[in-house]
Structure formats: structure tokens, C-alpha cells
């Protein structure tokens, strides 16, 4: 389904009840571009960020480094619209089907997974589409 | 690249050096079917399971519940051949492009992400392709 802004409280509660947050109150969330299937990034959510994402239709994570809600794209404009939320068999991982505006990665690349194992080590398989300082003006978006 | 069985020791070492394992020595690994883009599952790897996966070309995870290596498909036959390994910008998440034999999920479904948020809660969006007791004969594969 499309998760329109304004998923009702009962739905939010039912979804949250199915999720097994870890000891820190977090659950990993994989973001995948809904139409191309590209895996963009993985980040963490707590109950509050998940509830906000469902309520607003804009993806909000929890930043472990800042210990605070991380409204994806708040600084950079590179937001993620939530198209569908899936929960795995164990309830301990989320798959977010999103519509990514611009780039997901703070390096300016579409996906955070831009390094691939090749003989000898890792190789970059994607170049930045936009310079990080253009995205942030110095303030990292997470 | 295709990760052929027998990735050399130097490549294994270079890949491992780029990965930031967590305090428990683990890193989350997302498995995606290499040709369709379907996200199949998320599990965890330690250094040993990653090294084995690179060396053999067959995906091996680390089971947190069993506290042991988890050679995916060892009981069920539902193995994952590693086609490509990608590492994210922070080095703290892996993306495995795999060729999944049969089903990834212990419930007998192709993907573990078979529940979607819909008005009122979660709905199953995929049915089992095979019965779990056919897969395991009682022994869970993880």
C-alpha cells in the first residue's frame, strides 16, 4: 500500500506492537527505492521515529551518534517519502520502500553501498552526484 | 564483480579492514537477490563468517541466538551463492548480492519481509512456497 501521510493511531500501534526493538530500543531499517529496487541505505529507528514516519509519510530515523531523531533530508533536502513499510518474519528488521529525493548518501551518492569487493580490496562503483558541501553547507545530515 | 569461490587472503584482509564491526564483533548484512533486486533478509556476520563467505562463495552468517556460525541452507538446502559484496559509506553495513536457491525465509517464503503495514496493522503479502517442516524436518536453519 501507499503509506499516505496520516496513518492512524490504531495502525501505528498495531505495527509497533509487531516490532521487537533491541535492548537499546532500536530496530534496523533498510531503505529501498520503491520502483527500481536499489538498496539505498540502512539506518536505525526507535518507536518515536517510526511513529513519526508513519504519521507524516516522511522517513525519520534515530541517529545513534547524535542520540536524537534524524529527520532524513532536514538539512540536505534529500528526503525519503515512505511508500510502504514491511516487517520481517522475526519482527526485528524493517524494510522501507521509499521514494528518495536526490541522493541517500551523505557522500553525495545515490546509495551508501558504493564500494564493492574486487580482487585486492574494495573499489568505488559509483561517483558522487552532488558535492557534500553543496548538500550540507558543513552540517552533516545525521 | 562475481565473487568466485576462493577470494584470496589479501582481498579478504582488505575487505575486513574496511568494516567496522560493532561491540559484539558483528555487522548487519542485507541479502538481495542479485538479478531481481528483491530484498530477501537481513542477518549478522562476524569476521569469521564473512571470511568464510568470501572464501567459499556460499553465504555464512553468525547466529546470535545460537552464538555460532550459520551456514545458510546447511539444513534446508536453501543456500545463497554470493555474487557481489558491497560495503556502505560508514563500513558498518554490508549488502550481499546473492543467488538464492529456493526460499530465504524459515517460514517457507521467498523473502522474510512478507508483512506490510496496511490500515489497521500488518497484512501478509506473500504465502509460503514450501512448508517449513519440509524444509527442516523440525530443525530450524538458524
Amino acid at each position: 500500500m501507499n503509506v499516505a501521510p496520516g496513518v492512524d493511531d490504531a495502525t501505528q500501534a498495531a505495527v509497533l506492537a509487531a516490532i521487537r526493538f533491541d535492548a537499546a530500543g532500536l530496530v534496523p531499517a533498510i531503505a529501498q527505492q520503491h520502483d527500481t529496487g536499489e538498496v539505498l541505505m540502512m539506518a536505525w529507528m526507535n518507536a518515536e521515529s517510526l511513529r513519526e514516519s508513519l504519521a507524516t509519510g516522511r522517513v525519520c530515523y534515530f541517529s545513534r551518534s547524535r542520540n536524537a531523531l534524524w529527520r532524513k533530508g532536514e538539512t540536505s533536502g534529500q528526503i525519503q517519502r515512505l511508500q510502504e513499510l514491511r516487517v520481517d518474519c522475526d519482527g526485528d528488521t524493517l524494510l522501507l520502500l521509499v521514494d528518495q529525493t536526490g541522493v541517500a548518501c551523505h557522500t553525495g551518492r545515490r546509495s551508501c553501498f558504493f564500494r564493492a569487493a574486487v580482487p585486492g580490496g574494495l573499489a568505488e562503483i559509483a561517483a558522487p552526484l552532488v558535492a557534500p558541501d553543496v548538500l550540507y553547507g558543513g552540517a552533516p545530515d545525521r
Side-chain angles (χ1 to χ4, degrees), chain A:
Chain A
M1 68 150 189
N2 275 358
V3 179
V7 170
D8 62 87
D9 290 353
T11 298
Q12 290 176 34
V15 170
L16 282 158
I19 296 172
R20 289 167 48 200
F21 294 93
D22 70 12
L26 301 175
V27 63
I30 301 159
Q32 182 180 33
Q33 175 65 28
H34 73 104
D35 48 2
T36 65
E38 187 176 21
V39 175
L40 300 168
M41 57 181 288
M42 198 281 275
W44 297 80
M45 287 184 159
N46 65 358
E48 187 181 355
S49 66
L50 176 54
R51 212 178 283 117
E52 176 173 316
S53 300
L54 288 169
T56 65
R58 265 186 61 175
V59 176
C60 175
Y61 297 105
F62 184 83
S63 168
R64 296 180 303 171
S65 55
R66 289 192 293 108
N67 201 38
L69 291 182
W70 164 23
R71 294 182 176 92
K72 176 71 179 164
E74 192 169 41
T75 308
S76 66
Q78 314 294 290
I79 67 169
Q80 295 178 340
R81 295 255 173 227
L82 185 62
Q83 305 292 309
E84 185 167 309
L85 174 76
R86 295 190 188 158
V87 181
D88 80 343
C89 50
D90 295 326
D92 64 4
T93 308
L94 307 179
L95 178 62
L96 314 175
L97 300 182
V98 304
D99 192 16
Q100 171 74 54
T101 297
V103 298
C105 186
H106 75 289
T107 66
R109 293 170 175 88
R110 178 74 177 167
S111 165
C112 294
F113 297 97
F114 61 85
R115 297 185 291 172
V118 297
L122 294 178
E124 296 193 358
I125 57 171
L129 301 177
V130 54
D133 59 358
V134 172
L135 285 178
Y136 303 115
D141 180 33
R142 60 208 176 106

